Amino acid sequence: MLLVEATWKEVESHLADSRAIVMPIGSVEQHGPMGLLGTDAMCAEIIARRAGEIGGFLVGPTLALGMAQSHLAFPGTISLKPSTLMAVVEDVVASLSNSGFQQIIFLNGHGGNVATVTTAFGEIHAQRSLQHDPDNLELALKSWFDLPGIRRLLADMYPSGHGSHATPSEIAITQHAFPHAVKQVALDPQTAPDGRFSDAHDFRKRYPDGRKGADSSLAKPEDGAKLIEAAAQALAAEMTRYGKT
Ligand code: NI
């Protein structure tokens, strides 16, 4: 069930059975010449919604904006500062906890969110510990590409050219879900350089078309369908540990 398509009465009765919710979280940032700006938010939302259908758990609205400072030199990127994202996560958790949710699982589509969201969890737990809050609150962040079995599937699907940004896997997922938005663009070089970077200026200098280590042209919608199903099944299996779903 989608939270935004439910009434408060439906959520109240759902809470009698399960206190778990999945919150998709992504980013709006450049994804190279072929990838959509919304790729990370789209991937998290698509997989979370499919997993919710399989597992019968509640899926909240997607937090579409994330911490994307390193992509700010490309037009269209919208980034929250780490401090802003931490405040957003803290307020979302406080609201859901106030409703009675005790297991809040963020399904993530953007590696750049991990450090900030994990630190926000630390702040929340620290405050609750200091206040001797007796309610157990479980917080988890799961990136779809780190769900059980997915790295293996990615290695099989893309023996080379997967890279770490504007990857064919994330682009394939959006191609399957949003066929009207598929972009066919020649890539030069075919596989982008990879390595380190510091700030947004440095990122664009080192990776001029926005890709990192990826050959985005390997993306195929049919592979996107396989990835969505595999990640959704893996997330649904993970959710069985959070009480009745
Ligand atoms: Ni991405």
Side-chain angles (χ1 to χ4, degrees):
M1 182 165 62
L2 299 180
L3 183 88
V4 294
E5 293 183 7
T7 65
W8 72 265
K9 291 243 176 212
E10 287 173 318
V11 172
E12 189 172 68
S13 50
H14 186 89
L15 278 162
D17 283 339
S18 169
R19 297 191 171 267
I21 186 167
V22 169
M23 292 293 297
I25 181 168
S27 179
V28 173
E29 63 186 42
Q30 69 81 16
H31 270 78
M34 289 178 61
L36 311 180
L37 281 149
T39 296
D40 293 350
M42 290 165 167
C43 289
E45 181 169 284
I46 295 159
I47 292 164
R49 288 184 173 206
R50 176 66 189 130
E53 288 171 6
I54 296 166
F57 49 81
L58 204 54
V59 176
T62 302
L63 302 177
L65 302 181
M67 211 297 282
Q69 70 77 17
S70 57
H71 303 287
L72 282 168
F74 295 89
T77 296
I78 304 173
S79 179
L80 304 181
K81 293 192 288 292
S83 54
T84 312
L85 180 56
M86 284 179 64
V88 169
V89 170
E90 289 176 42
D91 286 357
V92 167
V93 168
S95 299
L96 291 171
S97 166
N98 181 60
S99 290
F101 291 99
Q102 287 186 329
Q103 292 104 19
I104 304 169
I105 315 307
F106 288 79
L107 196 263
N108 180 43
H110 173 50
N113 288 337
V114 173
T116 302
V117 174
T118 305
T119 305
F121 290 172
E123 282 287 334
I124 293 164
H125 285 310
Q127 286 164 19
R128 294 172 68 87
S129 298
L130 291 167
Q131 289 162 0
H132 304 287
D133 193 324
D135 290 340
N136 188 32
L137 180 65
E138 285 184 76
L139 302 173
L141 178 70
K142 296 175 187 294
S143 296
W144 70 262
F145 37 81
D146 285 330
L147 286 166
I150 301 301
R151 290 278 182 191
R152 182 61 205 256
L153 178 58
L154 293 176
D156 289 346
M157 206 175 258
Y158 308 105
S160 65
H162 186 259
S164 58
H165 190 70
T167 63
S169 59
E170 57 186 347
I171 291 175
I173 289 171
T174 63
Q175 286 179 337
H176 174 75
F178 301 93
H180 62 279
V182 172
K183 320 286 179 184
Q184 296 300 349
V185 180
L187 300 176
D188 182 21
Q190 197 67 33
T191 300
D194 210 343
R196 294 173 295 117
F197 61 92
S198 54
D199 61 5
H201 176 73
D202 186 48
F203 188 107
R204 182 151 181 174
K205 195 169 67 181
R206 291 173 188 257
Y207 314 109
D209 77 2
R211 295 173 296 145
K212 240 178 121 271
D215 176 359
S216 310
S217 70
L218 296 172
K220 296 193 195 91
E222 56 269 32
D223 289 338
K226 286 182 203 157
L227 288 164
I228 293 165
E229 196 59 25
Q233 292 285 355
L235 177 60
E238 290 281 285
M239 290 302 291
T240 59
R241 76 171 65 169
Y242 297 104
K244 189 179 166 204
T245 60

